[in-house]
Amino acid sequence: MAVRRFFVIPIAIVISLSFTFFLLNSDGMSDANLLGFDMDKDGVPDSFDNCPRNTNFDQTDFDSDKLGDECDIDDDNDGLSDSLDQFDTDPEDWADFDFDGIGSFKDTDDDNDGILDVVDSSPLPISESLATKYLHDIRVCADMDEGTSRLVCYSAFFGKIAENEENNSDALELSIALSKIGTIDDCHFVSHEVGHVAYAENPNVIDNLIGMDGTMCRGGYFHGVLAAYFHEVQENNKKLPSDYKSICDDLIGSSNYQDCVHGLGHGLVHFFGEDLNSSLDMCHEMSFYQDRLCVKGVMMQYTDNVLTRQGMNQNTLSTLCDESELSSVDFMECSMSVGTTLSFFTNHDVEGGTEFCKLIKHEQSQNYCLEGLNLEIRDSEKYETDPLTLDEREKFQPQFVEGTSKVIDIQSPAVVSDFHFISEAGFISFVIDRPHYVVMYIPNEYVTSKMVVTVGGEIPDDLDAKRNVLGEDISMIRFVSENSGLVMITPLP
């Protein structure tokens, strides 16, 4: 029988005792809670530390439950974890659904409509009503570890909301609110599921899109509807619809048209699966700007599918975008979309996403990945803090050249009307309803090396032109006008 030897060692500590003695046996520290042992190195021995594994010098414990705030998942003991609770030191309040800084319990005007709740027939914003109704489901997802599992949980939850509630925009309103609260990293991904359910209940693409706000969750709902449509076509072993290029045409002239064409790209990947080039070929059949929107959707869906299935390891990240198989522009879009997808997989954390981008061996692809990562995070933050008004949203307004398959793409928040194009003279004219920027992509065959641009008879001060954009036979004309009225683009002899 082994003889156990004990040693008495004095330890100086700062808390109320001058000296504390504890036992150390010859086998090492077999007692896990020995006085003086400081696992988190915060200067407080574990026997006195209310968060022995979390550094917390101040030892604050708001609810006095002997569990420090640093490691207490419910600081105010109201039954809601801090990850969900906006007011985690106020047991009476947990959220602020009109985002005026006042918790719903204390807020006398919950929906900020200027009518006090006591006399308001509908005092609560729909997001608060749904959050109250489905609080248990929200808590289940909120209490999961951050990452893919929590995102999947919320996706399933919002599918349930879309099935149960009559108005799909209500589900999106709740997703936006939970995103602002910080419970959901970004509502774009979960809004895909709302779009899937909407199409399953009403298998008509345009019916589901008309009347919806494409900017809600940055178009995720639109992407989900289009993805569900093409998935159904593929599941039923049907051919790709011959009218796929015009599926969004009813939305031309609205800001929603861009989200629809981008969603088309998502849908093509659902149809063609891992055959990336077939999806890209369908996009390339469209006009220049339509093609760019479509390709972005293709690459987002493709990179998401592959990384979900194969994981974020160096081999997958390094081979996902094959420069030898893609055009230079598509290679760039693919690599940037890897960064976009990584931002979602890492909860829009710059450092976490950067670590994964840097696993990519191809230097240029790695740089594009970092660019896509940072761009997505900036767009997400801008959407949360500074959403564009309806008037300021860019409207994609393609103009179809009569008698040809050619398209002149026009982007502008201003509304374009009365478009005319005389191909023999290379003359283009249209009207914009207010001063704003206008970007045009014109097939090279319709422009000359010298052209004059006027708005209301005046040449805009801010005017730019470029030929062979992204290596394509496309010219770009961009101007910012201080006037509304007639735009004329005239070739010089």
Side-chain angles (χ1 to χ4, degrees):
M1 179 177 177
V3 178
R4 303 182 71 187
R5 294 182 295 171
F6 296 88
F7 301 86
V8 180
I9 303 176
I11 300 292
I13 62 173
V14 180
I15 305 175
S16 68
L17 301 176
S18 325
F19 292 93
T20 300
F21 298 90
F22 66 94
L23 299 178
L24 174 65
N25 61 53
S26 59
D27 297 324
M29 294 185 181
S30 60
D31 296 321
N33 201 28
L34 294 175
L35 292 176
F37 191 60
D38 183 10
M39 186 180 299
D40 57 11
K41 309 298 183 184
D42 61 2
V44 183
D46 291 348
S47 294
F48 296 92
D49 197 335
N50 57 20
C51 282
R53 288 177 172 78
N54 301 78
T55 301
N56 58 334
F57 300 99
D58 54 13
Q59 296 288 291
T60 54
D61 178 13
F62 176 80
D63 53 8
S64 302
D65 62 355
K66 298 183 179 180
L67 193 61
D69 295 343
E70 187 65 31
C71 58
D72 193 343
I73 63 170
D74 181 11
D75 282 337
D76 55 12
N77 266 354
D78 62 356
L80 294 171
S81 63
D82 294 343
S83 62
L84 178 62
D85 197 339
Q86 275 186 288
F87 301 88
D88 55 16
T89 58
D90 184 348
E92 292 183 336
D93 262 316
W94 71 277
D96 168 23
F97 286 95
D98 57 359
F99 306 102
D100 61 358
I102 306 172
S104 298
F105 181 79
K106 297 180 179 66
D107 199 340
T108 57
D109 180 12
D110 275 318
D111 56 8
N112 246 0
D113 63 355
I115 303 173
L116 294 178
D117 291 346
V118 292
V119 293
D120 194 340
S121 59
S122 300
L124 303 181
I126 187 62
S127 55
E128 183 171 355
S129 298
L130 289 176
T132 302
K133 181 177 179 180
Y134 294 100
L135 185 56
H136 172 73
D137 300 83
I138 296 171
R139 288 173 63 181
V140 169
C141 295
D143 289 344
M144 287 186 170
D145 291 336
E146 291 187 6
T148 305
S149 59
R150 189 159 78 171
L151 198 57
V152 170
C153 179
Y154 274 120
S155 293
F157 165 64
F158 279 101
K160 174 181 176 180
I161 295 280
E163 290 175 355
N164 293 350
E165 303 300 323
E166 184 175 349
N167 193 336
N168 289 319
S169 63
D170 291 348
L172 298 182
E173 289 287 356
L174 176 59
S175 70
I176 291 170
L178 294 182
S179 179
K180 288 182 177 180
I181 288 172
T183 302
I184 300 176
D185 168 53
D186 184 277
C187 67
H188 178 88
F189 187 89
V190 298
S191 65
H192 279 214
E193 186 63 28
V194 179
H196 296 164
V197 172
Y199 182 80
E201 294 180 343
N202 176 20
N204 183 294
V205 171
I206 292 299
D207 279 357
N208 283 296
L209 301 186
I210 288 179
M212 295 295 288
D213 182 352
T215 65
M216 295 179 76
C217 300
R218 295 181 295 140
Y221 170 81
F222 279 56
H223 307 166
V225 169
L226 269 298
Y229 164 66
F230 283 99
H231 181 76
E232 180 186 64
V233 172
Q234 195 274 339
E235 284 286 297
N236 292 329
N237 295 315
K238 296 180 181 178
K239 293 182 179 180
L240 182 73
S242 59
D243 63 348
Y244 77 94
K245 290 189 286 186
S246 61
I247 197 169
C248 300
D249 281 3
D250 285 351
L251 299 173
I252 286 177
S254 74
S255 59
N256 290 344
Y257 183 72
Q258 289 158 292
D259 290 305
C260 186
V261 177
H262 179 92
L264 170 63
H266 285 265
L268 289 171
V269 176
H270 278 268
F271 181 82
F272 288 109
E274 295 184 6
D275 184 0
L276 176 61
N277 284 324
S278 289
S279 294
L280 293 174
D281 288 343
M282 296 303 103
C283 291
H284 296 336
E285 291 293 318
M286 305 175 76
S287 71
F288 175 79
Y289 189 60
Q290 289 171 319
D291 177 32
R292 291 299 92 206
L293 291 170
C294 180
V295 167
K296 286 179 184 292
V298 164
M299 293 307 188
M300 282 185 66
Q301 190 65 57
Y302 171 71
T303 55
D304 177 60
N305 288 356
V306 174
L307 292 179
T308 298
R309 185 175 63 251
Q310 298 184 14
M312 298 181 291
N313 55 74
Q314 186 175 49
N315 182 61
T316 299
L317 289 167
S318 296
T319 58
L320 189 53
C321 303
D322 189 342
E323 187 178 26
S324 66
E325 295 290 329
L326 300 170
S327 70
S328 59
V329 178
D330 290 344
F331 173 71
M332 176 188 70
E333 292 288 3
C334 181
S335 300
M336 288 184 67
S337 287
V338 172
T340 301
T341 300
L342 287 173
S343 71
F344 284 101
F345 283 20
T346 57
N347 299 311
H348 284 73
D349 176 64
V350 175
E351 292 183 2
T354 297
E355 288 182 10
F356 284 111
C357 281
K358 288 186 175 180
L359 292 177
I360 299 174
K361 295 179 180 178
H362 190 290
E363 183 178 357
Q364 187 61 65
S365 183
Q366 181 185 122
N367 291 335
Y368 285 142
C369 177
L370 292 168
E371 184 179 347
L373 171 77
N374 286 285
L375 182 61
E376 164 58 29
I377 291 173
R378 286 198 302 271
D379 283 351
S380 176
E381 291 172 347
K382 183 177 180 181
Y383 171 79
E384 295 289 352
T385 58
D386 188 27
L388 294 174
T389 64
L390 185 61
D391 284 345
E392 291 298 313
R393 294 172 192 168
E394 185 177 272
K395 302 169 185 64
F396 179 35
Q397 302 163 79
Q399 307 297 323
F400 300 90
V401 179
E402 188 175 352
T404 74
S405 60
K406 301 290 185 178
V407 178
I408 295 175
D409 293 326
I410 303 179
Q411 306 162 241
S412 177
V415 175
V416 172
S417 62
D418 201 22
F419 179 87
H420 294 282
F421 174 59
I422 303 175
S423 59
E424 297 82 3
F427 172 79
I428 300 171
S429 70
F430 54 90
V431 174
I432 55 175
D433 68 341
R434 57 204 157 104
H436 226 300
Y437 73 84
V438 176
V439 181
M440 305 176 65
Y441 295 104
I442 310 170
N444 282 345
E445 62 199 84
Y446 298 144
V447 296
T448 60
S449 58
K450 295 181 180 180
M451 304 188 79
V452 175
V453 179
T454 60
V455 183
E458 298 181 5
I459 298 176
D461 291 334
D462 190 348
L463 175 64
D464 186 25
K466 183 183 295 184
R467 200 171 180 86
N468 299 325
V469 180
L470 296 178
E472 302 284 338
D473 293 330
I474 293 290
S475 292
M476 181 273 291
I477 296 176
R478 179 189 181 277
F479 60 87
V480 181
S481 172
E482 296 182 358
N483 306 310
S484 60
L486 180 64
V487 177
M488 298 179 66
I489 301 175
T490 311
L492 290 176

